[in-house]
Amino acid sequence: MPSSPKRTTTILAFDFGLRSIGVAVGQSLTQSASPLAALKAKDGQPNWDTTAQLLATWQPTLCVVGLPLNMDGSEQELTQLARKFANRLHGRYGVQVELQDERLTTVSAKEELFAERGYRGLTKDKIDSVSACLIAEDYLNLHSQ
């Protein structure tokens, strides 16, 4: 009997920040993600209507929120705020939310953008959304087995 094809998973990934939240859409078939426009935030709170539109447009199987940890793996103040954002996503929209270690994603995002566009590419919203891509791809690669 042939094995059934694996279901393609679509995810929305978020790089949480207090003033800007990077967003990317990823899918399991290609193990890749594409940046979307970053969400403006006030004290870590995005426009929830815009967030609802993203969820309606992409209909993700789950959302992945980057968990900002210190290099030694310990938590910081932003870690708890990212958890709270993840809980709000789940509570408001009923979508499954998972957390993904995001250490060094911002550094990698800056390197990628600089290599492609030089200093002009290093805008905050682009960095945040490319970071969200890396969070999505890390998650997809970790869960592809």
Side-chain angles (χ1 to χ4, degrees):
M1 184 186 320
S3 62
S4 60
K6 268 180 102 174
R7 193 169 143 248
T8 299
T9 301
T10 299
I11 66 171
L12 274 182
F14 297 90
D15 178 34
F16 177 79
L18 295 176
R19 293 185 312 233
S20 176
I21 299 171
V23 185
V25 61
Q27 55 107 3
S28 60
L29 186 64
T30 61
Q31 302 284 302
S32 64
S34 300
L36 301 174
L39 301 171
K40 298 290 179 231
K42 183 172 175 148
D43 296 325
Q45 296 290 311
N47 177 325
W48 291 108
D49 292 337
T50 305
T51 307
Q53 289 171 353
L54 277 171
L55 291 167
T57 299
W58 294 102
Q59 300 183 357
T61 308
L62 74 126
C63 292
V64 178
V65 176
L67 193 62
L69 299 169
N70 292 318
M71 288 308 294
D72 66 1
S74 63
E75 295 195 1
Q76 53 182 294
E77 186 178 337
L78 203 56
T79 308
Q80 292 308 313
L81 295 172
R83 285 184 197 280
K84 189 181 283 190
F85 172 74
N87 289 337
R88 285 186 175 133
L89 268 177
H90 174 72
R92 281 177 181 263
Y93 307 109
V95 66
Q96 180 184 345
V97 179
E98 300 217 13
L99 299 168
Q100 173 68 36
D101 182 349
E102 66 164 42
R103 281 179 279 185
L104 296 178
T105 56
T106 300
V107 172
S108 296
K110 287 179 182 178
E111 288 173 356
E112 267 185 42
L113 287 166
F114 183 79
E116 288 175 18
R117 301 185 187 103
Y119 285 108
R120 291 184 314 271
L122 297 177
T123 61
K124 177 81 172 117
D125 59 333
K126 283 190 177 22
I127 292 168
D128 291 340
S129 289
V130 170
S131 292
C133 280
L134 296 172
I135 291 165
E137 290 170 355
D138 285 349
Y139 179 87
L140 290 167
N141 288 329
L142 218 81
H143 294 86
S144 66
Q145 289 82 15

